[in-house]
Protein backbone atom coordinates (compact mmCIF):
# COMPACT_ATOMS: atom_id res chain seq x y z
CA UNK A 1 0.00 0.00 0.00
CA UNK A 2 1.28 3.48 -0.86
CA UNK A 3 2.52 5.63 2.01
CA UNK A 4 -0.21 8.27 1.48
CA UNK A 5 -2.86 5.51 1.75
CA UNK A 6 -1.37 4.39 5.06
CA UNK A 7 -1.38 7.99 6.28
CA UNK A 8 -5.03 8.38 5.25
CA UNK A 9 -6.12 5.18 7.02
CA UNK A 10 -4.22 6.20 10.13
CA UNK A 11 -5.82 9.66 10.03
CA UNK A 12 -9.31 8.22 9.67
CA UNK A 13 -8.69 6.02 12.71
CA UNK A 14 -7.51 9.04 14.72
CA UNK A 15 -10.58 11.03 13.64
CA UNK A 16 -12.97 8.20 14.56
CA UNK A 17 -11.27 7.78 17.94
CA UNK A 18 -11.48 11.54 18.52
CA UNK A 19 -15.21 11.63 17.74
CA UNK A 20 -15.85 8.66 20.03
CA UNK A 21 -13.99 10.39 22.87
CA UNK A 22 -16.29 13.39 22.31
CA UNK A 23 -19.35 11.14 22.74
CA UNK A 24 -20.26 10.51 19.11
CA UNK A 25 -21.45 7.02 18.18
CA UNK A 26 -19.69 5.80 15.04
CA UNK A 27 -22.16 4.18 12.64
CA UNK A 28 -19.94 3.39 9.64
CA UNK A 29 -16.46 3.99 8.33
CA UNK A 30 -15.57 4.09 4.64
CA UNK A 31 -19.16 3.47 3.56
CA UNK A 32 -19.20 3.16 -0.23
CA UNK A 33 -21.72 4.10 -2.87
CA UNK A 34 -20.18 3.24 -6.23
CA UNK A 35 -16.90 5.13 -6.45
CA UNK A 36 -17.98 7.61 -3.76
CA UNK A 37 -17.42 7.07 -0.06
CA UNK A 38 -18.26 8.53 3.31
CA UNK A 39 -15.24 8.48 5.62
CA UNK A 40 -17.15 8.44 8.92
CA UNK A 41 -20.83 8.52 9.74
CA UNK A 42 -21.71 9.11 13.37
CA UNK A 43 -24.52 10.18 15.63
CA UNK A 44 -24.02 13.24 17.82
CA UNK A 45 -23.87 12.61 21.57
CA UNK A 46 -27.55 13.53 21.91
CA UNK A 47 -28.44 11.08 19.10
CA UNK A 48 -30.41 13.72 17.22
CA UNK A 49 -28.07 14.45 14.30
CA UNK A 50 -26.29 12.23 11.81
CA UNK A 51 -22.83 13.59 11.09
CA UNK A 52 -21.17 12.89 7.75
CA UNK A 53 -17.51 13.52 8.56
CA UNK A 54 -15.00 14.02 5.78
CA UNK A 55 -11.53 13.26 7.14
CA UNK A 56 -8.51 14.99 5.65
CA UNK A 57 -5.06 13.88 6.75
CA UNK A 58 -1.79 15.59 5.93
CA UNK A 59 1.73 15.11 7.23
CA UNK A 60 1.99 18.91 7.38
CA UNK A 61 0.08 22.02 6.35
CA UNK A 62 2.98 23.72 4.58
CA UNK A 63 1.23 24.13 1.23
CA UNK A 64 -2.45 24.23 2.15
CA UNK A 65 -4.70 23.34 5.01
CA UNK A 66 -6.42 19.97 4.69
CA UNK A 67 -9.92 21.45 4.72
CA UNK A 68 -9.08 23.49 1.61
CA UNK A 69 -9.13 20.25 -0.38
CA UNK A 70 -12.88 19.89 0.23
CA UNK A 71 -13.90 21.62 -2.99
CA UNK A 72 -17.28 21.83 -4.74
CA UNK A 73 -16.68 18.49 -6.53
CA UNK A 74 -15.98 16.72 -3.23
CA UNK A 75 -19.04 18.36 -1.65
CA UNK A 76 -21.19 17.18 -4.54
CA UNK A 77 -19.87 13.62 -4.26
CA UNK A 78 -20.43 13.63 -0.50
CA UNK A 79 -23.96 14.88 -1.05
CA UNK A 80 -24.71 12.08 -3.54
CA UNK A 81 -23.28 9.41 -1.24
CA UNK A 82 -25.04 10.86 1.81
CA UNK A 83 -28.36 10.84 -0.04
CA UNK A 84 -27.87 7.13 -0.85
CA UNK A 85 -26.89 6.46 2.77
CA UNK A 86 -29.98 8.21 4.12
CA UNK A 87 -32.23 6.23 1.77
CA UNK A 88 -30.47 2.92 2.49
CA UNK A 89 -30.75 3.24 6.28
CA UNK A 90 -34.00 5.25 6.30
CA UNK A 91 -32.46 8.08 8.32
CA UNK A 92 -35.02 10.56 9.60
CA UNK A 93 -32.92 12.78 11.86
CA UNK A 94 -31.08 15.98 11.01
CA UNK A 95 -27.91 15.65 8.94
CA UNK A 96 -24.74 17.68 9.26
CA UNK A 97 -21.54 17.74 7.20
CA UNK A 98 -18.33 18.13 9.22
CA UNK A 99 -14.66 18.11 8.30
CA UNK A 100 -12.11 16.53 10.63
CA UNK A 101 -8.48 17.33 9.86
CA UNK A 102 -5.50 15.39 11.13
CA UNK A 103 -2.12 17.06 10.59
CA UNK A 104 1.13 15.40 11.62
CA UNK A 105 2.31 11.86 12.13
CA UNK A 106 2.09 9.09 14.70
CA UNK A 107 4.53 10.90 16.98
CA UNK A 108 2.92 14.33 16.98
CA UNK A 109 -0.35 15.40 15.42
CA UNK A 110 -3.20 17.87 15.74
CA UNK A 111 -6.90 17.19 15.17
CA UNK A 112 -9.33 19.94 14.25
CA UNK A 113 -13.07 19.29 14.05
CA UNK A 114 -15.11 21.70 11.98
CA UNK A 115 -18.83 21.12 12.62
CA UNK A 116 -21.19 22.31 9.88
CA UNK A 117 -18.19 22.78 7.59
CA UNK A 118 -20.41 23.13 4.54
CA UNK A 119 -23.93 22.85 3.25
CA UNK A 120 -23.99 20.41 0.35
CA UNK A 121 -25.25 21.51 -3.04
CA UNK A 122 -28.85 20.67 -3.85
CA UNK A 123 -29.19 17.48 -5.91
Amino acid sequence: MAEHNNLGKWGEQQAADYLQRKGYRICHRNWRFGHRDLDVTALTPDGETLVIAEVKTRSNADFATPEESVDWRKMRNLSIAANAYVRRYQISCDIRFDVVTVVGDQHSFRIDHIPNAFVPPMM
Side-chain angles (χ1 to χ4, degrees):
M1 185 176 291
E3 184 63 30
H4 72 277
N5 289 339
N6 288 335
L7 182 66
K9 283 187 170 296
W10 171 81
E12 286 181 9
Q13 182 64 52
Q14 299 314 307
D17 291 348
Y18 171 86
L19 290 172
Q20 282 185 307
R21 285 192 303 274
K22 295 294 183 181
Y24 290 76
R25 185 170 64 86
I26 305 300
C27 301
H28 291 97
R29 292 184 49 198
N30 296 309
W31 188 85
R32 298 201 63 78
F33 177 67
H35 67 278
R36 297 171 174 97
D37 74 312
L38 302 176
D39 293 335
V40 177
T41 60
L43 287 173
T44 53
D46 64 10
E48 294 183 7
T49 303
L50 175 71
V51 172
I52 308 293
E54 176 65 11
V55 180
K56 292 297 179 186
T57 307
R58 300 288 184 270
S59 56
N60 61 60
D62 291 347
F63 299 107
T65 61
E67 62 271 19
E68 290 174 323
S69 65
V70 182
D71 60 8
W72 69 270
R73 185 174 289 116
K74 183 64 178 174
M75 289 180 211
R76 182 177 57 114
N77 285 332
L78 287 168
S79 179
I80 291 167
N83 188 42
Y85 185 91
V86 165
R87 284 181 298 164
R88 165 70 175 87
Y89 296 104
Q90 300 175 6
I91 304 294
S92 59
C93 61
D94 291 336
I95 300 168
R96 185 177 88 198
F97 289 83
D98 293 4
V99 172
V100 179
T101 66
V102 182
V103 178
D105 60 29
Q106 295 174 351
H107 305 292
S108 175
F109 62 92
R110 183 184 80 247
I111 296 177
D112 289 316
H113 178 200
I114 307 165
N116 283 311
F118 64 91
V119 175
M122 299 280 290
M123 292 286 148

